Amino acid sequence: VRRIVVVGASLAGLRAAEELRGQGFDGELVVVGDEPHRPYDRPPLSKQVLAGTWDADHLPLAVAHEGGLDGLDVDWRLGTRATGLDLATRTITLADDDVGVELAFDGLVIATGASPRWLPGCRTDLAAVHTLRTLDDSLAIRAVLDTTPQRVVVVGGGFIGAEVAATCRSRGVDVTLVEMLPVPMGVAVGDEVGTLMADIHRDHGVDVRLGVGVERVDGSDRVERVRLTDGTVLSAALVVIGIGVVPNTAWLDGSGLTVDDGIVCDATGQATSGVFAAGDVARWPSRRYGRSLRIEHWDNAIAMGEHVAQRLLAGSGGSAGSGDDGDVYDPVPWFWSDQYDRKVQLAGVAAGADEMQVVEGSMDERRFVALYRQGDRLAAVLAMNRPRPVVTYRRQIQAGASWSDALATASG
Ligand code: FAD
Ligand code: NAP
């Protein structure tokens, strides 16, 4: 392997590049990214950056490698979009003005992440209607918050919606949160905790509207009103749309890679010989959960970026591994979300759990640890403002602990 190309200059792509160098790869390493910025961290975009307490200079992703980012000896192609992949010639095409430029590779890591969905039927030409994924998005939303008399409608009660609503309230802005499902964040944390999160938002003054959608977003040049499907009309100086993301795979159309809501990989993270995917864009069969997963969280982008870098080097003969445990990517997913003074952490997969039990603290105090059961196994642990036990239960999930073992730990 002489030249490895990484497409996507963000968390998964950077961690893959770092790991390649860390494992001793001394060939040519090219990282292609369509944003103009060097790799930066996204979680603060809905939190500190939007709040106005951090600026862009807080965001560059740190590199443990000696010599920092420059020590990685990467040929950065930033502000450059990959537009095609030809597996037969092992080249990718880069958009360079109107002329496509071919770049050959021996190994390829695809870490192109995901892009926000636009609200169906919503005009794209109205000022102050935004999605939030990039630094530029966050600064644009912040600029509206800094200048306009404020009334914000947040569409979508997932992670973006909940965090943006919390940050806007911390700035003293009037916020209405509109979610089509009866419970916000319910898909990720389950209905009981989702209901609690809705209460926490209400207690902080958010007007939470559940089970209702957006019919239209109106205004002349700027957004002025949002009409809901129940006929309510909300005035709005800013609309933030957070209704989920679509994996960035359009550039792979016709390449022969299998794409099905993400790049379909084998259990090692390999899409086809010498081509790997990592982070939000990658889908792989999880042995642990017995189904295919695509995880849209920070920790997974790091772990999978590192994993596929190792597999790429180990399997440079063509196969990513023998299928032994060390070759297989089988993490216990983990994320956190900060809203107001509450920090939620979840390890495992709570979606589809059969039961949830609070084992420490209480939901009334809004400081607790809850365990999720699937069959006779511990499937997930969620902690609100009680971070420490997450480490213990995550280890148990990793080891395949039974539900009764987990409850014994809780009571012991
Ligand atoms: P991305 O970070 O999406 O990076 C992909 C990169 O590839 C982008 O720069 C993109 O522009 C580029 N790209 C796409 N297509 C092409 C192409 N054709 N050619 C070249 N480049 C391309 N997770 C948590 O666990 N906790 C949090 O608190 C949290 N907060 C978040 C807050 C916000 C506002 C957002 C947006 C995400 C948050 N996340 C959080 C999720 C986490 O940031 C993502 O899971 C992580 O960024 C995924 O990393 P990635 O490298 O796979 O993809
Ligand atoms: P998300 O977490 O998937 O939530 C989207 C929410 O919007 C879902 O509840 C969805 O309901 C709802 N929705 C869909 N269509 C709607 C519509 N037309 N009107 C109203 N609601 C609608 O996605 P997100 O909040 O947009 O976040 C984007 C990405 O950033 C995700 O990858 C997320 O993981 C990541 N992120 C993570 C964190 C964190 O981990 N702390 C923080 C911020 C962002 P349905 O389920 O019915 O579609």
Side-chain angles (χ1 to χ4, degrees):
V1 176
R2 285 161 321 206
R3 182 192 281 155
I4 296 179
V5 174
V6 178
V7 185
S10 184
L11 189 57
L14 177 64
R15 290 299 170 242
E18 200 179 357
E19 186 67 15
L20 288 165
R21 288 300 190 217
Q23 295 285 324
F25 173 65
D26 60 3
E28 203 183 334
L29 185 53
V30 183
V31 179
V32 179
D34 62 358
E35 292 186 68
H37 315 287
R38 282 191 163 199
Y40 63 89
D41 212 14
R42 295 187 199 278
L45 299 180
S46 51
K47 307 172 185 83
Q48 295 90 338
V49 175
L50 213 55
T53 52
W54 282 14
D55 279 313
D57 56 359
H58 270 85
L59 302 184
L61 284 166
V63 170
H65 192 272
E66 201 182 329
L69 203 60
D70 292 330
L72 291 179
D73 190 20
V74 164
D75 174 1
W76 297 99
R77 309 280 180 97
L78 300 177
T80 303
R81 172 174 290 269
T83 54
L85 165 65
D86 186 331
L87 289 172
T89 57
R90 295 185 89 68
T91 50
I92 59 168
T93 309
L94 304 181
D96 189 0
D97 296 326
D98 291 332
V99 192
V101 172
E102 306 288 310
L103 180 65
F105 62 83
D106 302 303
L108 177 65
V109 176
I110 302 174
T112 45
S115 294
R117 276 195 207 123
W118 190 253
L119 185 66
C122 179
R123 280 167 55 186
T124 52
D125 61 339
L126 278 179
V129 181
H130 292 274
T131 53
L132 173 54
R133 183 78 191 178
T134 65
L135 171 60
D136 299 350
D137 295 336
S138 183
L139 293 178
I141 296 171
R142 186 167 97 178
V144 180
L145 290 170
D146 286 344
T147 53
T148 314
Q150 304 185 358
R151 187 164 269 281
V152 178
V153 175
V154 178
V155 184
F159 287 96
I160 290 282
E163 292 185 4
V164 168
T167 305
C168 287
R169 281 305 297 148
S170 74
R171 296 181 57 129
V173 176
D174 283 344
V175 179
T176 304
L177 177 69
V178 181
E179 163 63 51
M180 285 208 296
L181 295 175
V183 177
M185 291 186 65
V187 176
V189 298
D191 283 356
E192 283 162 282
V193 179
T195 302
L196 175 66
M197 297 305 301
D199 289 342
I200 291 173
H201 282 283
R202 285 193 191 96
D203 291 352
H204 282 85
V206 176
D207 178 1
V208 180
R209 309 277 179 118
L210 301 173
V212 64
V214 170
E215 192 176 285
R216 49 188 296 162
V217 177
D218 285 325
S220 45
D221 298 331
R222 300 180 63 82
V223 63
E224 290 164 20
R225 289 171 305 281
V226 176
R227 173 184 274 275
L228 304 185
T229 48
D230 64 3
T232 310
V233 178
L234 305 167
S235 70
L238 167 66
V239 170
V240 180
I241 302 169
I243 59 167
V245 292
V246 180
N248 289 323
T249 54
W251 68 283
L252 298 167
D253 285 354
S255 68
L257 288 190
T258 307
V259 171
D260 181 8
D261 184 31
I263 299 169
V264 177
C265 301
D266 67 15
T268 69
Q270 183 170 235
T272 190
S273 176
V275 177
F276 291 77
D280 282 17
V281 78
R283 175 172 289 286
W284 81 100
S286 163
R287 288 204 181 159
R288 183 182 309 283
Y289 294 99
R291 60 187 154 107
S292 92
L293 290 182
R294 189 175 64 74
I295 302 278
E296 298 173 354
H297 294 294
W298 191 86
D299 187 58
N300 179 66
I302 294 175
M304 198 168 188
E306 291 173 354
H307 180 90
V308 301
Q310 292 162 12
R311 300 311 341 135
L312 198 164
L313 294 179
S316 51
S319 149
S322 59
D324 291 347
D325 284 354
D327 302 329
V328 165
Y329 183 62
D330 210 9
V332 174
W334 171 80
F335 69 76
W336 83 96
S337 177
D338 297 331
Q339 298 169 37
Y340 312 103
D341 56 354
R342 300 295 101 178
K343 184 184 273 290
V344 176
Q345 290 192 59
L346 189 140
V349 175
D354 300 318
E355 177 187 352
M356 185 201 93
Q357 220 180 93
V358 174
V359 294
E360 280 185 43
S362 72
M363 289 175 69
D364 286 346
E365 304 171 73
R366 297 173 178 184
R367 188 161 176 272
F368 64 95
V369 178
L371 302 181
Y372 296 73
R373 175 180 68 80
Q374 181 129 45
D376 62 356
R377 300 272 132 196
L378 174 63
V381 53
L382 180 144
M384 183 178 283
N385 287 31
R386 275 190 187 244
R388 280 219 191 133
V390 175
V391 178
T392 307
Y393 291 111
R394 190 182 186 192
R395 275 202 207 107
Q396 288 203 332
I397 299 168
Q398 184 88 41
S402 68
W403 180 243
S404 52
D405 282 350
L407 291 183
T409 303
S411 60

